[in-house]
């Protein structure tokens, strides 16, 4: 892990096209701005972890095609 000190208005570059700038510092709150290409997703860590958890749960709860066909034939409209 690289740890850097930056002041308000200073920035860090990641590669050639990602810039992280310190926008404001108030007490123990640091506001950062991130300039990155639209092709790169940027999430707060807790949001990213929630997305990953939801993706794992979706994979774990997949039903087989034959089970889905059977449910549709029975008229069930809810997947558990």
């Amino acid at each position: 892990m690289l740890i850097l000190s930056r002041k308000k208005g200073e920035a860090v570059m990641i590669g050639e096209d990602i810039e992280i700038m310190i926008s404001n510092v108030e007490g123990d709150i640091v506001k950062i701005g991130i300039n990155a290409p639209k092709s790169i997703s940027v999430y707060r860590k807790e949001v990213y972890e929630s997305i990953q958890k939801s993706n794992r749960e979706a994979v774990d709860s997949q039903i087989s095609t034959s089970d889905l066909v059977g449910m549709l034939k029975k008229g069930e409209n809810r997947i558990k």
Side-chain angles (χ1 to χ4, degrees):
M1 174 186 297
L2 174 64
I3 298 175
L4 301 171
S5 296
R6 299 280 75 198
K7 295 178 182 175
K8 181 179 174 181
E10 294 181 333
V12 173
M13 294 298 298
I14 299 175
E16 295 180 5
D17 53 2
I18 301 173
E19 177 184 27
I20 300 181
M21 175 176 272
I22 305 304
S23 173
N24 199 10
V25 180
E26 294 177 12
D28 61 349
I29 304 291
V30 178
K31 294 183 180 179
I32 61 172
I34 302 169
N35 287 318
K38 290 185 179 193
S39 62
I40 296 178
S41 299
V42 178
Y43 301 103
R44 294 187 330 259
K45 185 173 182 179
E46 62 274 15
V47 171
Y48 177 80
E49 289 172 345
S50 177
I51 292 168
Q52 295 301 308
K53 180 181 176 192
S54 294
N55 289 344
R56 283 190 301 274
E57 289 171 355
V59 168
D60 291 343
S61 68
Q62 286 183 355
I63 62 171
S64 70
T65 305
S66 59
D67 288 344
L68 180 59
V69 169
M71 292 171 66
L72 292 171
K73 286 181 179 177
K74 291 179 184 176
E76 296 180 27
N77 60 4
R78 258 185 33 192
I79 299 174
K80 297 176 186 175

